[in-house]
Amino acid sequence: MSVDADVTIRPLVDDELPAAVDLVGAMLPEIPLYSWILGEYLVEPAMVDWLASVFIGPHIALGRVEGAFDADGRLLGIVAWSAPDGPPPELPASVVASSTSLLPRRQDIVERLKILADATLDHQLPGDHVLIVLGVVAPTARRTGIPAALGLAPRAAAQAAGMDLLMTTSDLALGKAHERTHGAVFQSSYPVGECTVYQYLAPA
C-alpha cells in the first residue's frame, strides 16, 4: 500500500520534539511495556511526556527520528532508531532537567526502568543490529502505507551498516505486523515485569 501524495516523510528537527512527544504520549496506553513502566503515573501528563521524551529526544539530534506529516503539517507517525556505531546518544538538557525533577519522588519507575535495562542486557541477540527504538502511528493513519514507509529509513541504515534490523515489541499483534510489513523473523521472547517482549530481526 503506497503513501498518499500529500504525506511527507522526513527527519524531525529539535523544535519538533514537542509534537513527537504529544503523538507518542497519546499512544502510550496502547503499548503494554510503557504502560507497565509508568504504572499509576500513566494518568499524569507530565510523566507521559517525560517517558516519551526519554525514548525520542536522544535520537533527534543524530537524525534518527523520522516523521510522517500531512499536507497541513500535522505529525501522523514517527520512528526512532539507534545503531551501535558510537557512544550512546545523550539525553537533551530539557529531558535531564525533567528527570531530575520528576524521578526522585517516583523510585518505583526508576526500579522498573532498571528491570527493563537488565532484561534487555540479559537477552541481547548475538551480533550488532540497528534497533527500532520506538515507532507509533496515529490511529487515523494506520493501514495507509505510512507504517511501512516509516520503516524505510531505519532499514536503509541497517543496510548501510551491513546489519540486521532489530525490532522489539510488547504487543504480539504488532510483531505479526513486523513480519508482514518488513519480512521480520521472530527470534525470542522474554518477560519484563508484567509484560513479554518479543524480538524480531529483518535482514539487511
Side-chain angles (χ1 to χ4, degrees):
M1 184 180 294
S2 61
V3 178
D4 290 344
D6 62 351
V7 172
T8 300
I9 295 179
R10 61 167 175 78
L12 268 66
V13 297
D14 289 343
D15 290 347
E16 291 169 326
L17 176 59
V21 165
D22 287 345
L23 176 64
V24 172
M27 299 296 105
L28 279 184
E30 296 185 8
I31 305 174
L33 182 62
Y34 299 157
S35 296
W36 169 74
I37 289 173
L38 286 182
E40 65 186 282
Y41 308 112
L42 189 61
V43 298
E44 296 186 19
M47 293 307 301
V48 171
D49 288 353
W50 168 79
L51 188 62
S53 298
V54 166
F55 282 101
I56 304 167
H59 305 286
I60 286 184
L62 299 174
R64 291 177 177 164
V65 180
E66 291 226 334
F69 296 83
D70 67 12
D72 296 321
R74 289 187 295 257
L75 186 60
L76 303 175
I78 69 161
V79 62
W81 68 95
S82 66
D85 58 359
E90 295 183 1
L91 288 172
S94 60
V95 180
V96 173
S98 61
S99 300
T100 302
S101 171
L102 294 170
L103 291 185
R105 293 170 306 187
R106 297 170 174 86
Q107 286 301 308
D108 45 348
I109 288 183
V110 175
E111 182 58 31
R112 287 193 286 269
L113 287 170
K114 184 178 185 304
I115 291 171
L116 172 60
D118 289 346
T120 301
L121 184 63
D122 289 344
H123 294 88
Q124 278 186 329
L125 297 178
D128 290 332
H129 312 94
V130 169
L131 168 67
I132 291 186
V133 175
L134 181 67
V136 298
V137 176
T140 56
R142 295 170 187 171
R143 304 184 186 279
T144 62
I146 287 175
L150 284 171
L152 294 178
R155 193 177 193 109
Q159 290 173 340
M163 299 177 186
D164 292 335
L165 184 62
L166 174 60
M167 308 171 184
T168 65
T169 180
S170 54
D171 181 344
L172 188 56
L174 183 56
K176 298 299 183 183
H178 288 330
E179 292 177 325
R180 294 191 303 270
T181 303
H182 301 288
V185 178
F186 173 76
Q187 302 295 309
S188 67
S189 63
Y190 56 91
V192 179
E194 300 172 358
C195 304
T196 300
V197 172
Y198 306 92
Q199 296 181 307
Y200 296 80
L201 283 181

